[in-house]
Amino acid sequence: MKLTVVTGNLTQRREPIVLGVAESGGLPPWAGGWSPAVRRAVGQLLSAKRFQGKLNETFLLPLGSQWLILVGVGKKEELTLDRLRQAAATAARRALSARFEKFARGLLPIAGATPEQSAQAAAEGTLLGLYRYDELKNPSPPEKKNQIKEVVMVVGAAKDAASARKGIRQGELIAGAVCWTRDMVNRPSNRLTPTAMAAEAKAAARRFGFRCQVLDPVDMKRLGMNAVLAVARGSKEPARFIVLEYKGPGARQKRPIVWLGKGITFDSGGISIKPADKMEQMKYDMSGGAAVLGALRAVAALKLSVHVVGLVPATENLPGGSAQKPGDVIRAYGGRTIEVINTDAEGRLVLSDALGYAKRFKPEAMVDLATLTGACVVALGYHAMGLMGTNGKLIDQVKQAASRSGERAWELPLWAEYGEAIRSDVADVKNVGDGKAGTITAGYFLKEFAGETPWVHLDIAGVAWTDSDKGYLNKGATGVGVRLLVELARQWKGLR
Ligand code: BES
Ligand code: MN
Ligand code: ZN
């Protein structure tokens, strides 16, 4: 699909036109330039409340030989880049279901945002909204195929056209990375094994120009990554530890930011096995790792001037005959010992090795993403990831990146008292708490391995998967974390 920009007047276009309408009552501000017939038709819809402009509401309005796709953007004073991104997705989906091959749209001004940023958000929304995971379906019937070949953005002033093109280009690169991440997460675990995930990383590294090294179980044994290996014992699929590095042109940082992502390609729970209901969804337990891969791809494609390292411990968690057992004690990378009370708390195990290994890069900061706890879904539902960390400046920058990207994060405390729940009688720590504040005790466990290095943990268990289409999210993997990390890298200010 092509996203193009032309300078001109939207009212003169012949193809279907998407119009954003704010929820206000009365005619929207764009109505002035349109013919009396258009103004009357839209005015009637609004006064009859058949269309109100609520966020993501749509109305397909035929006018002679012209089609209008009205899309609600919510209250005008509440319009943000993220709402624009959502409305762009909803409109594109409506155009798709109407089987239009092409449509035109304008560029809504957003308070506090540049035309470039608005164009980027619109491009992201359009591409993410039209995403489908269909690689395993036999050739889909023509009516289900993506028929949209071109979206024309019409801007009034020539100077805005250049900004819009720049924004769209960036939106395309970012959406491309998010869709790649979604594909990996949606892909079943018999196809996206740890080995396959590492192969994806290698291919992307070659294509987008960053470094990729893949450690196998022999390397991991030599290094002492016993926590990843302990989780991998129950499976015949060999574990992989993926190491990525991108150093952008003119990157002035002396020390890298390290991004870490949980890469459990399937989580059965292991010997502490999960119930069968919804277990198939546990293919998404590598969402954090896939987000790290996607973010590395995006910052490399955008050629950002940053130095980033990505670490993804990838393995299955299965209950095979050699599986680790409750009560086992393992020695993680760096020497600390862990008593494994519950083999289903495996994410924190693989991340303990990764956090230890990260120190090799002398990071300025570490940010990990993990579908770590069901408790996070209880605490925050599907609307925000849990955020915990040890450094105020890093926490602030991650929060800002979260709000700029629309990938919401909400902070939870890591007070020392929570650490008491993970003290072990026989080892340095145990891998589960006392059943209360499960997201925090998991975060606290990671903090023990992060040590003095500034660190933030993002629990994405509630937001990495969605059961229905909404805005730019489609049923299945959301690709959450990629855009947040890209924003963090774009605006990285250092910690001093
Ligand atoms: N991958 C799960 C967490 C999860 C649950 C993610 C539901 C998404 C949806 C994780 O490995 C896990 O099993 N955590 C346990 C921890 C418990 C044993 C302390 C959990 O949340 O139940
Ligand atoms: Mn688990
Ligand atoms: Zn898990």
Side-chain angles (χ1 to χ4, degrees), residues 331-348:
R331 189 179 295 278
Y333 183 95
R336 297 174 67 81
T337 54
I338 305 168
E339 182 185 11
V340 179
I341 300 293
N342 188 319
T343 65
D344 198 11
E346 83 298 337
R348 64 198 78 180

Side-chain angles (χ1 to χ4, degrees), residues 262 267 269 274 282 284-285 317 342 344-348 371-375 377 431-433 461-462:
K262 171 176 174 181
D267 182 13
K274 288 181 183 294
M282 278 299 123
Y284 91 84
D285 213 17
N317 184 27
N342 188 319
D344 198 11
E346 83 298 337
R348 64 198 78 180
T371 46
L372 206 63
T373 63
V377 192
N431 78 332
V432 296

Side-chain angles (χ1 to χ4, degrees), residues 38-358:
V38 173
R39 295 212 305 268
R40 204 176 320 113
V42 175
Q44 274 169 8
L45 281 180
L46 289 171
S47 56
K49 299 215 166 162
R50 289 176 65 203
F51 177 80
Q52 295 175 277
K54 290 200 188 316
L55 182 62
N56 292 323
E57 188 186 357
T58 60
F59 197 97
L60 198 58
L61 180 64
L63 272 173
S65 59
Q66 173 83 63
W67 285 99
L68 293 184
I69 304 165
L70 307 182
V71 61
V73 297
K75 295 209 173 73
K76 199 170 171 232
E77 60 280 8
E78 290 172 8
L79 187 55
T80 57
L81 283 175
D82 197 63
R83 289 187 159 206
L84 173 65
R85 192 181 285 113
Q86 291 187 42
T90 305
R93 270 205 212 102
R94 189 67 194 88
L96 177 68
S97 65
R99 302 198 199 161
F100 297 141
E101 292 198 347
K102 184 178 177 185
F103 64 85
R105 49 161 300 153
L107 186 57
L108 271 185
I110 308 264
T114 62
E116 184 178 325
Q117 287 171 318
S118 303
Q120 183 196 321
E124 288 172 358
T126 305
L127 295 166
L128 295 176
L130 294 173
Y131 170 86
R132 283 289 173 277
Y133 180 68
D134 51 14
E135 65 183 9
L136 299 177
K137 288 198 183 276
N138 282 305
S140 39
E143 69 272 16
K144 283 209 171 155
K145 268 221 211 104
N146 188 353
Q147 297 279 306
I148 296 178
K149 300 205 171 77
E150 187 178 357
V151 179
V152 188
M153 185 177 281
V154 184
V155 298
K159 68 164 177 16
D160 287 346
S163 320
R165 280 194 192 98
K166 233 176 124 189
I168 285 177
R169 183 69 199 128
Q170 297 184 54
E172 283 176 328
L173 296 174
I174 292 168
V178 175
C179 291
W180 177 55
T181 293
R182 287 181 180 181
D183 274 345
M184 285 189 277
V185 176
N186 282 322
R187 198 167 295 149
S189 71
N190 63 333
R191 294 166 183 272
L192 194 91
T193 58
T195 307
M197 195 173 177
E200 288 280 344
K202 283 221 146 140
R206 231 172 292 125
R207 177 168 161 209
F208 294 94
F210 54 93
R211 222 173 59 85
C212 173
Q213 184 197 5
V214 177
L215 308 180
D216 66 18
V218 176
D219 303 318
M220 289 160 70
K221 178 102 218 224
R222 182 172 42 80
L223 287 162
M225 292 180 167
N226 300 313
V228 183
L229 292 172
V231 174
R233 283 179 59 161
S235 168
K236 291 226 160 104
E237 282 296 331
R240 293 287 182 262
F241 192 98
I242 307 168
V243 184
L244 310 169
E245 185 169 12
Y246 167 75
K247 199 167 184 176
R252 283 190 309 272
Q253 294 160 253
K254 286 215 183 66
R255 305 183 320 154
I257 316 172
V258 178
W259 294 337
L260 309 96
K262 171 176 174 181
I264 301 296
T265 58
F266 188 76
D267 182 13
S268 73
I271 294 296
S272 316
I273 198 161
K274 288 181 183 294
D277 188 45
K278 297 259 172 77
M279 201 206 269
E280 75 281 2
Q281 278 191 4
M282 278 299 123
K283 66 177 182 181
Y284 91 84
D285 213 17
M286 33 58 74
S287 295
V292 167
L293 300 187
L296 253 297
R297 163 175 157 161
V299 296
L302 293 165
K303 301 192 166 62
L304 298 188
S305 299
V306 287
H307 184 190
V308 193
V309 168
L311 300 178
V312 180
T315 174
E316 295 186 330
N317 184 27
L318 292 186
S322 330
Q324 66 169 340
K325 305 166 293 300
D328 287 1
V329 172
I330 57 185
R331 189 179 295 278
Y333 183 95
R336 297 174 67 81
T337 54
I338 305 168
E339 182 185 11
V340 179
I341 300 293
N342 188 319
T343 65
D344 198 11
E346 83 298 337
R348 64 198 78 180
L349 297 180
V350 301
L351 285 170
S352 68
D353 274 350
L355 287 163
Y357 190 74

